Amino acid sequence: MSLIQVSNLKKSFGTNEVLKQISFSLEKNEVVAIIGPSGSGKSTLLRSLINLEQINGGSIQIDNDYLVHDGVYVKPNDIKKVTGKMGMVFQHFNLFPHLTVKQNLEMAPKLLNHQPAIEIETHAKDLLDKVGLTEKADAYPSNLSGGQKQRVAIARALMLNPDILLFDEPTSALDPELTGEVLKVMKDLAEESMTMIVVTHEMGFAREVADRVVFMDGGEIIESGIPKDFFSNPQAERTKMFLQRNYK
């Protein structure tokens, strides 16, 4: 059974139909890169999975549990349980500026009272080591580079041990020289078999790291496939045009 199963997903903002009957699945330990032009519905799809956007129709199942079934959402407690299986990393970091790096990581697990404080502290330390920021534990976000902020955001998303990580254009707000340090952390996670959906403009990452590439345009999935075939022999004209403009 797929870890994520999406069927006939529809989402509109007023008269603007942003997602049109989207259906796809994600397997355990799979890395899927979603690419496409701005306004194609990529971020809206991702935000719908974790209930940051309410859909207008269709179904979303996470690890066999419904978030929404035929357009009807499950009860609030069940929504919390389902979305708790996922962590999300945003384009603009979303760190709390008044908290240190360590406090940013520890806030959610302490609020949820999941485990003893000493275990939370040890987990935070381990994750900061994992993303190469041990020495920044007591720093505030304003004293970090963009790449460091995004690595902290990734560590924070991992604090609750999610089954799935969602990345919404995690490098698009970064200077090119800072992009590499974030992509390295993401590659390391992929090598550790973390299940991930990555909305990205980084074609090199999609080709090298993803198990599958999904191309969206106009609120639809136009084409998907393994990177080797997708980039060397795209089938749809819209895919070919997009890759000609964005992938060299």
Side-chain angles (χ1 to χ4, degrees):
M1 181 68 185
S2 302
L3 205 53
I4 293 180
Q5 187 73 47
V6 172
S7 305
N8 302 317
L9 209 62
K10 293 189 287 186
K11 171 67 181 177
S12 297
F13 294 108
T15 58
N16 182 22
E17 197 176 8
V18 181
L19 299 176
K20 304 171 183 175
Q21 302 284 356
I22 293 281
S23 296
F24 82 100
S25 61
L26 177 76
E27 305 304 315
K28 185 175 173 61
N29 306 136
E30 188 179 24
V31 178
V32 170
I34 302 180
I35 65 172
S38 297
S40 58
K42 307 182 302 293
S43 294
T44 301
L45 172 58
L46 212 61
R47 291 170 64 84
S48 298
L49 295 178
I50 203 163
N51 200 42
L52 292 175
E53 296 286 358
Q54 295 256 308
I55 64 164
N56 303 118
S59 301
I60 299 171
Q61 259 183 302
I62 311 293
D63 194 19
N64 293 337
D65 291 323
Y66 278 105
L67 171 65
V68 54
H69 188 205
D70 290 337
V72 179
Y73 280 85
V74 297
K75 294 176 181 176
N77 279 349
D78 292 328
I79 288 175
K80 193 173 176 182
K81 175 190 165 193
V82 172
T83 56
K85 298 175 183 180
M86 295 174 282
M88 186 155 177
V89 178
F90 298 89
Q91 181 178 347
H92 293 291
F93 327 127
N94 290 12
L95 301 178
F96 295 105
H98 63 291
L99 299 179
T100 66
V101 164
K102 180 171 172 286
Q103 289 168 338
N104 263 282
L105 265 65
E106 294 177 355
M107 184 179 180
K110 282 182 175 177
L111 283 174
L112 294 169
N113 202 22
H114 270 188
Q115 55 194 137
I118 187 66
E119 289 183 18
I120 294 172
E121 193 170 327
T122 300
H123 193 199
K125 184 175 180 297
D126 290 345
L127 287 174
L128 286 177
D129 183 53
K130 185 186 194 75
V131 300
L133 289 172
T134 302
E135 77 285 356
K136 297 293 185 182
D138 296 319
Y140 286 89
S142 59
N143 296 320
L144 302 178
S145 70
Q148 289 170 335
K149 289 176 186 175
Q150 196 59 291
R151 284 186 281 155
V152 171
I154 293 171
R156 184 178 62 178
L158 290 166
M159 277 297 291
L160 296 176
N161 300 311
D163 297 321
I164 304 158
L165 268 187
L166 309 176
F167 292 85
D168 188 10
E169 308 218 17
T171 60
S172 63
L174 302 179
D175 294 332
E177 64 268 23
L178 299 177
T179 295
E181 64 190 57
V182 174
L183 293 178
K184 182 186 181 303
V185 171
M186 294 168 65
K187 287 176 185 176
D188 290 345
L189 289 171
E191 287 170 6
E192 293 168 12
S193 299
M194 185 76 205
T195 308
M196 301 192 288
I197 302 179
V198 184
V199 169
T200 185
H201 289 295
E202 296 289 337
M203 297 298 127
F205 175 87
R207 178 158 196 156
E208 294 166 31
V209 181
D211 299 300
R212 183 160 44 106
V213 181
V214 173
F215 172 62
M216 288 185 66
D217 192 15
E220 300 174 295
I221 291 177
I222 305 302
E223 186 171 347
S224 68
I226 62 171
K228 180 175 175 291
D229 295 339
F230 182 91
F231 285 103
S232 64
N233 189 28
Q235 300 301 300
E237 283 304 314
R238 274 196 275 179
T239 311
K240 291 175 185 175
M241 289 174 61
F242 177 81
L243 291 177
Q244 283 168 7
R245 288 195 302 269
N246 296 278
Y247 181 68
K248 301 289 184 279

